[in-house]
Amino acid sequence: MEQYVAGLEQTLQQVLFSNNSEQIKEATKALSTQFFADANCVPALVHIIQNSPQKEIRQLSAVELRKQITNWWAKLDLEVRTATKARLLEIILNEQEPLPRHSTARVIATVGRIEIPANTWNELLTFLFQCSNGSNAGHREVGVYVIYAIFEVTDAFADNLRQLLELFSRTIIDPESHVVRITTVQALGKMADFIEEDQKEEIAIYAELVPHMVNVLQHCLNESDEESAAKCFDVFDTLLLLEIPILSKHVQNLIQFFLTIGGNKTFEPVMRVQALSFIMWAIVYKKTKIQRLKLVGPMIQALMPIAAEEEPEDSDEDSPARLAFKVINTLATNLPPQQVFPVAMEGILAYMANADPLYRKAAMVTLAVLVEGSVDFIRPKFNDLLLIVCAGLQDPEANVRRAACMALSSLAEEFDEVAENHATLLPLVFNLMNEPTPEITKQACNALDAILEGLGENIL
């Protein structure tokens, strides 16, 4: 066995550290055909994870072990399985490096998926509770992370949700470890998939944890921890999709919180975009609640200043301003226009009078994204809107003229009245087609196409 283990570790080293592609290819083949074709690979990989001085080898061994557990676990003797389970718990407590520790946690989760339903690893949950409640922060990190890893792959802890929620109510406010708090949020995100609608008490306990989850995200933002913040954003997005009412009583505070993040220029754009993305999906999945709480007006008032920010040159790159326009469009297409359009129109008129061209551009783009969901409501106001667009088409700033072309295109797609005003509009559009800026020319052509399509055969 010693020779087998030594050969396996040497082959893993060749895969990781060799600069010779042919040697790597041969080593990879040897793993598959020699070492991993034998059930002994399981205890051998465990030995390497426990004893190798190289963290890269420990991690790769754990990654491979996870695969081999699936292939060989049922074929191992009971004594080997029992010893392996015990050693895995020893390993993860002693592992100091995050990546090998996380990979080992996933090995434990893979074994747990097999053993927990069979009631053959009852000591695992006890071990995890002891770790998660212990005085050692590293052990708490291990305990919560393994629980998270198990929720990722199995519902084996579905009967222990109440007990785990009570545990998470402590770990989410861990006084020492940011990692424990972040991992608790992630575990809560996975756990939510296993809570049923009739589990009222569990839902109530979970809902009480939401403000603490917000605090964890706020801390990530304050520390500019983008990676951890992204994990929290993902959890909140997941909770929006659930039918169980975990977020219901927090919708107003969450909308306000995420709008504040979206409007805060001290945060990185990527985090602001994620916050605004949450708002967009909240409109889709919580629209009844948003209407009942009368949040539409405050949302538009918070979004329009964001929409007036500078946008990146790359048209495919998301930015807070671009997300703000998407959110306004989502409001227009999902909620009654009488709740959306009047507030937005106030902003459009005010922004068109602003000396800053970014505000005037924002007014034009806002009008463009509003039209789709408000046609019947705004038809009586068409002439007033057309005057605003005409002013935009003649604005001294190029980016405002370009945005006005977008607004005109949106109007032309929905209103026959645009074609009826072609005598006024076409000269303005033709002037823009001679602009030196390609983007303006492109948008002017789009506007012209929309007008001509409205005119139909009569213009030809």
Side-chain angles (χ1 to χ4, degrees):
M1 186 66 173
E2 287 183 15
Q3 186 176 356
Y4 177 93
V5 172
L8 174 56
E9 185 167 4
Q10 183 180 11
T11 307
L12 291 169
Q13 287 176 333
Q14 289 176 350
V15 170
L16 270 181
F17 302 123
S18 176
N19 294 320
N20 185 315
S21 59
E22 194 61 36
Q23 191 176 46
I24 293 172
K25 185 177 178 181
E26 290 176 4
T28 303
K29 182 179 179 182
L31 288 176
S32 177
T33 59
Q34 296 177 34
F35 295 101
F36 297 158
D38 187 332
N40 283 325
C41 66
V42 172
L45 286 166
V46 172
H47 178 88
I48 294 168
I49 297 168
Q50 191 165 30
N51 294 287
S52 174
Q54 296 169 294
K55 63 182 180 181
E56 297 88 353
I57 292 296
R58 297 198 302 275
Q59 186 193 358
L60 178 58
S61 297
V63 170
E64 293 297 340
L65 177 58
R66 185 183 179 191
K67 301 174 189 175
Q68 300 314 316
I69 290 290
T70 304
N71 295 334
W72 294 110
W73 191 254
K75 298 179 178 65
L76 293 170
D77 292 340
L78 176 61
E79 294 79 5
V80 176
R81 294 201 301 269
T82 302
T84 298
K85 289 184 289 186
R87 290 180 71 184
L88 286 172
L89 300 185
E90 290 175 17
I91 289 167
I92 200 164
L93 280 184
N94 294 323
E95 179 59 70
Q96 301 300 310
E97 294 291 338
L99 292 179
R101 178 191 285 179
H102 290 171
S103 296
T104 302
R106 289 192 163 88
V107 174
I108 293 171
T110 302
V111 176
R113 182 169 57 184
I114 302 168
E115 297 278 315
I116 297 170
N119 292 317
T120 49
W121 203 3
N122 295 328
E123 62 269 29
L124 176 61
L125 190 59
T126 302
F127 167 83
L128 295 176
F129 270 95
Q130 288 174 346
C131 289
S132 302
N133 284 310
S135 60
N136 184 306
H139 290 180
R140 295 197 300 275
E141 291 171 10
V142 166
V144 177
Y145 192 88
V146 173
I147 294 169
Y148 161 65
I150 289 171
F151 273 123
E152 274 195 308
V153 298
T154 179
D155 64 350
F157 283 163
D159 293 335
N160 306 99
L161 296 184
R162 176 75 177 268
Q163 198 177 1
L164 289 168
L165 282 166
E166 290 172 354
L167 170 67
F168 290 158
S169 69
R170 297 188 291 274
T171 59
I172 201 165
I173 54 172
D174 190 288
E176 188 178 355
S177 173
H178 180 55
V179 173
V180 171
R181 298 192 295 272
I182 290 292
T183 311
T184 300
V185 173
Q186 290 181 277
L188 282 164
K190 295 296 181 184
M191 172 194 277
D193 289 335
F194 304 112
I195 300 178
E196 303 292 340
E197 289 186 60
D198 60 351
Q199 293 179 291
K200 305 297 183 185
E201 291 186 6
E202 286 79 0
I203 292 171
I205 296 171
Y206 196 128
E208 293 302 317
L209 299 182
V210 171
H212 296 303
M213 297 167 71
V214 170
N215 291 339
V216 174
L217 173 54
Q218 182 70 70
H219 184 265
C220 296
L221 295 167
N222 293 342
E223 296 297 315
S224 299
D225 184 356
E226 291 183 32
E227 183 179 353
S228 296
K231 293 173 183 176
C232 293
F233 280 121
D234 285 345
V235 171
F236 279 106
D237 288 346
T238 297
L239 297 183
L240 275 177
L241 306 179
L242 300 177
E243 294 184 7
I244 55 175
I246 288 173
L247 297 184
S248 292
K249 66 187 246 181
H250 303 291
V251 168
Q252 184 163 357
N253 289 337
L254 289 172
I255 293 289
Q256 183 177 356
F257 173 69
F258 282 101
L259 281 173
T260 301
I261 297 171
N264 191 333
K265 295 181 182 179
T266 64
F267 294 142
E268 289 296 320
V270 64
M271 292 193 278
R272 298 175 63 200
V273 163
Q274 287 174 302
L276 292 169
S277 178
F278 174 88
I279 298 291
M280 184 169 66
W281 290 113
I283 294 164
V284 174
Y285 290 102
K286 303 293 180 184
K287 59 184 176 183
T288 304
K289 193 84 171 179
I290 287 171
Q291 289 181 71
R292 190 161 60 243
L293 292 169
K294 296 180 168 54
L295 298 178
V296 177
M299 290 171 74
I300 293 172
Q301 291 165 352
L303 289 164
M304 288 197 68
I306 304 171
E309 294 180 20
E310 193 80 58
E311 295 184 36
E313 291 185 11
D314 184 351
S315 60
D316 294 327
E317 181 181 343
D318 273 335
S319 70
R322 286 173 183 160
L323 258 292
F325 291 127
K326 288 182 180 179
V327 177
I328 293 171
N329 175 258
T330 306
L331 283 167
T333 53
N334 285 273
L335 297 174
Q338 59 268 29
Q339 293 187 21
V340 178
F341 190 82
V343 181
M345 196 63 203
E346 284 182 21
I348 289 170
L349 291 171
Y351 279 31
M352 281 301 289
N354 197 298
D356 188 337
L358 285 174
Y359 280 76
R360 302 197 299 277
K361 182 216 81 171
M364 287 289 91
V365 179
T366 298
L367 178 56
V369 300
L370 275 177
V371 171
E372 181 183 357
S374 312
V375 175
D376 293 334
F377 184 79
I378 66 178
R379 180 164 270 114
K381 306 168 182 63
F382 174 81
N383 289 333
D384 294 334
L385 295 179
L386 195 61
L387 288 174
I388 296 171
V389 173
C390 287
L393 292 170
Q394 300 171 84
D395 194 276
E397 291 292 332
N399 63 347
V400 181
R401 298 194 296 274
R402 173 176 170 269
C405 286
M406 295 169 60
L408 179 58
S409 295
S410 293
L411 287 171
E413 288 173 4
E414 303 289 350
F415 292 95
D416 295 336
E417 291 90 335
V418 169
E420 294 168 8
N421 286 271
H422 68 275
T424 300
L425 293 168
L426 287 178
L428 298 176
V429 174
F430 284 140
N431 284 339
L432 296 179
M433 293 179 71
N434 294 320
E435 291 259 1
T437 307
E439 275 300 311
I440 294 181
T441 304
K442 175 184 174 182
Q443 294 298 336
C445 288
N446 291 341
L448 178 62
D449 288 344
I451 295 170
L452 292 179
E453 186 175 341
L455 281 169
E457 297 297 328
N458 293 330
I459 196 67
L460 300 174

